Structures are given as C-alpha cells and as structure tokens.
Amino acid sequence: MLDRESRPGEAAATSGLWMAVMGGILLLVVGVIAAFAGMRQGFWIILVGAVCVMSASAALRFRTKQT
C-alpha cells in the first residue's frame, strides 16, 4: 500500500485528483449541452459536475506538500 511518505503514492493521489477535476468539467459540459437541448436533467448534471470540481479542487489545494 502506498502511504504519504512515498513519492509514487503522492503522484498517484495527485493524478487521481486531477482526473476527478477533469471528469467534473466534462460533467459540466455535458450538463450545459443537455440543458440547452431542453432536458431538465441537465441542471442536475451541472450541479453534480460543479460539486465534483469544487471538492477535487479543494482537495488539491489543501493537500500537505512534501518539502
């Protein structure tokens, strides 16, 4: 198991968080397209995408950095 002290573990966690941010952005784009197409579910997709982007961005921002 990779812990906080290993560089590969830190890199894997960071890249996973960046993938979560990109996935949230993709949800935002899909939600906007769905909303413009007239689907009411598009607004829920936008909401989920915004929550994903905000939570993953906060996790990236407040990570403890190795010195």
Side-chain angles (χ1 to χ4, degrees):
M1 192 76 185
L2 298 173
D3 60 355
R4 289 185 180 265
E5 300 300 322
S6 67
R7 289 200 183 265
E10 195 68 28
T14 302
S15 64
L17 286 171
W18 276 110
M19 288 184 353
V21 170
M22 295 303 153
I25 291 171
L26 182 63
L27 278 173
L28 285 170
V29 170
V30 168
V32 167
I33 292 171
F36 279 133
M39 296 175 60
R40 290 190 308 149
Q41 295 85 357
F43 296 109
W44 289 106
I45 297 171
I46 291 171
L47 178 67
V48 169
V51 169
C52 287
V53 168
M54 287 187 294
S55 60
S57 297
L60 278 170
R61 170 70 175 94
F62 296 113
R63 285 180 61 85
T64 55
K65 303 287 184 195
Q66 286 185 352
T67 57

